[in-house]
Amino acid sequence: MKLKKQVTVCGAAIFCVAVFSLYLMLDRVQHDPTRHQSGGNFPRSQISVLQNRIEQLEQLLEENHEIISHIKDSVLELTAHAEGQPAVPHHTPNGSWVLPPESRPSFLSVSPQDCQFALGGKGQSPDLQMLAVYSLLPFDNQDGGVWKQGFDITYEPNEWDAEPLQVFVVPHSHNDPGWIKTFDKYYYDQTQHILNSMVLKMQEDPRRRFIWSEISFFSKWWDNISAQKRAAVRRLVGNGQLEMVTGGWVMPDEANSHYFAMIDQLIEGHQWLEKNIGVTPRSGWAVDPFGYSSTMPYLLKRSNLTGMLIQRVHYAIKKHFAATQNLEFMWRQTWDPDASTDIFCHMMPFYSYDVPHTCGPDPKICCQFDFKRLPGGRINCPWKVPPRAITDANVAERAQLLLDQYRKKSKLYRSKVLLVPLGDDFRYDKPQEWDAQFLNYQRIFDFLNSRPDLHVQAQFGTLSDYFDALYKKMGIVPGMRPPGFPVLTGDFFSYADREDHYWTGYYTSRPFYKSLDRVLEAHLRGAEILYSLALAHARRAGADGRYPLSDYSLLSNARRNLGLFQHHDAITGTAKEAVAVDYGVRLLHSLTNLKRIIINAAHYLVLGDRDAYRHDPAAPFLVADDTRPNQDSLPERTVVKLDTSPRLLVVFNPLEQERLSVVPVLVDSPHVHVLSEEGQPLPSQLSAHWGSATDMVPDVYQVSVLARLPALGLRVLQLHKSFNGHTTLKSSVRLYLHGRDLPVRKQEAIPVHVFPATTDDFCLENQHLQACFSGRSGLLQSIRRAGEEREQRVSSEFLVYGTRTSKDKSGAYLFLPDGEAKPYAPKDPPVVRVTEGPLFSEVTSYYQHVQTVVRLYNVPGVEGLSLDVSCLVDIRDHINKELALRFSTDIESDDTFFTDLNGFQIQPRRYQRKLPLQANFYPMPAMAYIQDTQSRLTLHTAQALGVSSLGSGQLEVILDRRLMQDDNRGLGQGLKDNKRTCNRFRLLLERRATANKVQDGRPISFPSLLSHITSMHLNAEALVMPVAQEKLSPPALRSFVPLSTTLPCDFHILNLRMLQAEDDSLPSAEAALILHRKGFDCSLEAKNLGFNCTTSQGKLALGSLFQGLELGSLQPTSLTLMYPLGTASNSTNIRLDPMEIATFRIRLG
């Protein structure tokens, strides 16, 4: 009662303050002194008066907002102390479940200033906006002569008289960390020989240059070479002969990779380089990813790189940029108001990064200057004219021929500096090849440089040699915008290398591993954070001697395995079957180790008496939530055996926001009730565990508990075996067999009603929304939001794409469908199972190749505002088919839809009728949405898949693809190793309050805060770890609450990562704290969302964030910690702009 009084008083206080403030506002606006100063009735002065008034109102609103925020905070504090448990649901006479109102008020307190960002409007518009470029181009694929996809290039012989051509030939070897062979096989067969020859051959002539990018290979080689060789490498790097470009663990795919993993592999590579060679990369090199995301230039820029290079871009865009001399540009983020994200980017103009396509427009001529193809070797020139060794007799003629190509290529760029890569996949693996290329080219250079009348200066160079010469010519320092060069925004998806061969299949290829990638990523982030916190607390207590520091090397190994999988033939699903298995084994090995690290950290942190902590590797204190027997198995959840004494559970919430979640646990008895650690009963729902459509697994039950989980914290729960469980409410099941004669195996504890025939359409609802389903198919038909009359049609259906009958068929890379999709037609009607209960209700439809579950949570807050959708797909008996899930709505989205890039930002897309169907698919690592002025429908995903909107109001996603043939891109295999794969989604329908057409036409869009948090809930599930059964009574446990304040809800702790000590298997005293402030759109926020959310204009006090720990030091650094930014100050208050990611080097203890 006392609490209720306090809340009432505070509520009244808020109301009074609000009314009084509004009164004051109106009062001040009426007595506005500026009114008397405006002379005459000029409209302009009236406008300025209005503007002044609006500004004053905004300021007053801001002040008012701050007052209310303070009062809300105090109310929150009051209610937090008397939190109580979530109350128990009850059944109403009309048969639906009702949850009592939340004991805690929910706030959405977003400052008006924080809403300005999404409205944009600052900054100049770019010269090249990729959406506009797409609308402009004809995509007519005309024959361009020797440069098939381009045009004839001409020049005047005297063009270089005033300013000679400066040519940098850049030798490189592209090493895939797994593709046709596994990572290790490539290393032993080729890569080690390339690097060994490199050390030898580079020392023979100081004019030689070489670049290397994949640190995964380089570090493996480094571990196997002598100190003498290491010193030689350091010398070569030091004198500029060898350059490490990009410096990531791999050259990542940019379509399917998530920004956490992209950053993590970049940090892993950069930290390795700094520690072992003492070098910081300056230029980015990405010749092989299949299309490019604008997230990458942002990450490289924030890592202090000043230039970057890309190659696999749609041939029509290359041609257009070549014709307008726009192949070099400043790449800027769409949301950047002040050009702080600009990075210089070089786009290669021709078909490939091999030698025939890099010296100039004519591959027949360029191939003659690839001296690995000299007659008698293992490879030759397909154009039938072989290279000739350079001699005194032929050097003049050969040099002249090559110079003609150099000059033609240089006409496509704005400067008189030319970049000519010289290399290909796994090149330079034999000393003979080093000699053939370097000696012959040096003869050509010597000849060209000795002839002043040719006006050319040619030499070997690194990538940064080229960029530096360019900057110098332009008279600017690296990183600045060269005068006259264009600014570009947008991305380079989707990629086609010729004809209508769009590389849009790999957005979905091997979805099982795309999903496993994200499971590993979520576990890595959770393990990093929990390990860092446990270690800091142990060190503070002087107990780090007893803590398993050795977990650090497992953590380091998991970073490297996740990093390896970001490679552009790994997460893409475009490697050979045996290589995919090798990746899978690595991912699973690390997943198992990460669960162990989380268990060790959780064990230490939940002990009531941490001094009693003892680490016993043979007998872990907690049991993992699930296990996977093999690299291609779906997880099998742990069943908790109930006993006379209570079983304890520790639940880890990896989110930086507190969450109210339904936590599922499998138990061996229906007689169960769940208590909090203080012994309070918690609301829970008992349901069956199904082995198939009609079989309940005997003696296994699911109990789902509604629990409030602390941010980044651990909550202790108790499971009791009890025969009078009032708090555990049973769910009821209706099973519709659709005329199929199937035996049903029931359990007496769970009521099941079997209906042999089909049902009418039916609906499920909670306090936020109602979802209606087709009785025949069991699939979703519509969603109606609470308080709205109209229901929104959201009907789902499964479709099948075939592939062409002609010679070019779909494969691992390419999507080449035989026309529009046809409805999926299974041989039997589905079995539809409807489960209804107090905490969630769900509809499960069993089809021959896909089992789909749509679940509606009946809980306040984030979980109850969207539909949980999962599809268990098995198409192992399909031949040349792709299975798609399409949602059709009456949202008037026209030809516009939105997809995310790497889970980091949103890129608007347009369905282009002038392009083939497959060209309109895009990567969807985290979300896609369609909208009109009234509504937005977002499909959130827990794994990267290909997505499109092929008609107004539609959104469709490709779930899996099974293809019997190679698509002629070098793999030499189809996709036949499909697994049973579970794809997980959340479907969120939001009302748009203040949309307008002008705003929607801009090439920029943001999710709402609710949408961001929904995505986090989907991607960072709570981990449930039972305390291992012991004969002795377990020690006293208490929940662990690491944060002392609530983080603003637009802040995301991307990682808290212990840095390595001198001995790289141990952690140092420092950690990297990586924060991301999300950009969000306020026009979608509805009232009564039931989750607490406050923003703070990007301000955060880090000093007092971690409860029971002190922040010893705080140094802002570049993204990958290579450069300190500013001086380490004593202040621990930081500020971040929206969308920015910032890294801090910190000491916790």
Side-chain angles (χ1 to χ4, degrees), residues 68-143:
I68 291 179
S69 292
H70 287 309
I71 298 176
K72 282 180 176 175
D73 285 345
S74 45
V75 175
L76 258 185
E77 276 165 33
L78 280 172
T79 50
H81 296 309
E83 176 203 311
Q85 301 302 331
V88 178
H90 59 272
H91 215 212
T92 60
N94 71 358
S96 63
W97 289 95
V98 175
L99 272 170
E102 259 276 67
S103 58
R104 307 178 57 167
S106 64
F107 291 136
L108 190 68
S109 165
V110 177
S111 135
Q113 274 148 294
D114 288 340
C115 293
Q116 286 304 310
F117 176 74
L119 302 173
K122 298 196 186 80
Q124 322 93 340
S125 51
D127 308 290
L128 302 167
Q129 207 290 312
M130 286 312 297
L131 259 181
V133 171
Y134 257 80
S135 304
L136 181 79
L137 294 186
F139 292 96
D140 51 0
N141 193 23
Q142 292 181 354
D143 190 331

Side-chain angles (χ1 to χ4, degrees), residues 338-381:
D338 58 8
S340 75
T341 60
D342 288 16
I343 183 170
F344 186 81
C345 181
H346 171 101
M347 183 190 294
M348 291 167 59
F350 307 124
Y351 172 75
S352 163
Y353 55 81
D354 62 10
V355 184
H357 296 93
T358 45
C359 90
D362 189 345
K364 181 177 177 178
I365 293 174
C366 291
C367 195
Q368 300 170 45
F369 294 90
D370 182 356
F371 295 102
K372 184 186 169 99
R373 302 181 197 238
L374 283 165
R378 286 168 59 187
I379 54 167
N380 54 20
C381 284

Side-chain angles (χ1 to χ4, degrees), residues 614-867:
R614 293 289 174 275
H615 171 61
D616 179 358
F621 180 68
L622 302 170
V623 181
D625 53 332
D626 61 26
T627 51
R628 294 177 184 243
N630 294 304
Q631 56 90 20
D632 58 357
S633 324
L634 287 168
E636 295 172 10
R637 289 165 55 201
T638 305
V639 180
V640 179
K641 294 190 169 21
L642 297 179
D643 206 338
T644 44
S645 54
R647 290 293 307 270
L648 297 178
L649 300 174
V650 175
V651 186
F652 172 42
N653 169 22
L655 287 189
E656 58 281 281
Q657 300 292 337
E658 178 186 82
R659 72 207 269 184
L660 184 61
S661 278
V662 175
V663 177
V665 189
L666 293 184
V667 291
D668 66 347
S669 160
H671 307 294
V672 57
H673 71 157
V674 188
L675 305 180
S676 69
E677 66 188 292
E678 300 82 15
Q680 296 284 67
L682 291 175
S684 46
Q685 169 175 335
L686 188 74
S687 41
H689 186 55
W690 294 85
S692 73
T694 53
D695 283 358
M696 291 188 187
V697 179
D699 305 323
V700 179
Y701 302 85
Q702 176 165 299
V703 60
S704 305
V705 193
L706 182 61
R708 191 178 291 287
L709 307 174
L712 294 176
L714 300 158
R715 174 92 193 260
V716 179
L717 306 176
Q718 315 180 33
L719 295 179
H720 288 254
K721 194 163 189 172
S722 136
F723 291 88
N724 57 353
H726 298 299
T727 53
T728 305
L729 301 157
K730 292 179 180 176
S731 42
S732 61
V733 178
R734 304 196 302 278
L735 200 55
Y736 299 98
L737 300 179
H738 285 140
R740 293 167 66 182
D741 183 18
L742 297 166
V744 177
R745 193 193 316 181
K746 307 183 192 179
Q747 299 250 51
E748 60 189 77
I750 309 282
V752 176
H753 304 283
V754 179
F755 300 87
T758 306
T759 173
D760 296 333
D761 292 358
F762 59 93
C763 302
L764 300 177
E765 65 183 299
N766 67 11
Q767 69 264 50
H768 299 298
L769 42 100
Q770 179 189 57
C772 297
F773 297 82
S774 150
R776 200 177 50 79
S777 70
L779 299 178
L780 183 66
Q781 294 299 305
S782 67
I783 300 175
R784 187 172 63 80
R785 294 165 44 107
E788 288 184 8
E789 290 300 303
R790 233 179 108 246
E791 59 178 27
Q792 174 78 60
R793 181 171 78 96
V794 183
S795 64
S796 58
E797 57 183 322
F798 291 105
L799 302 162
V800 176
Y801 284 97
T803 189
R804 303 186 173 176
T805 48
S806 65
K807 66 175 195 332
D808 296 313
K809 293 182 170 61
S810 298
Y813 302 90
L814 306 184
F815 180 32
L816 293 168
D818 59 353
E820 293 186 6
K822 305 189 176 45
Y824 166 62
K827 64 175 198 285
D828 295 309
V831 170
V832 176
R833 186 173 68 234
V834 183
T835 304
E836 292 196 64
L839 298 182
F840 70 86
S841 299
E842 67 184 17
V843 180
T844 309
S845 313
Y846 284 86
Y847 289 90
Q848 187 185 349
H849 301 98
V850 58
Q851 166 195 336
T852 174
V853 183
V854 179
R855 177 181 287 199
L856 182 60
Y857 285 103
N858 190 26
V859 300
V862 179
E863 302 284 15
L865 286 157
S866 56
L867 289 173

Side-chain angles (χ1 to χ4, degrees), residues 469-483:
L470 180 80
Y471 298 136
K472 193 173 170 189
K473 267 261 166 55
M474 296 288 158
I476 55 164
V477 296
M480 272 179 66
R481 176 180 172 188

Side-chain angles (χ1 to χ4, degrees), residues 554-571:
L554 301 180
L555 205 50
S556 181
N557 191 252
R559 293 167 179 170
R560 293 176 173 192
N561 282 334
L562 180 70
L564 187 71
F565 195 68
Q566 304 314 304
H567 163 55
H568 56 262
D569 290 303
I571 192 172

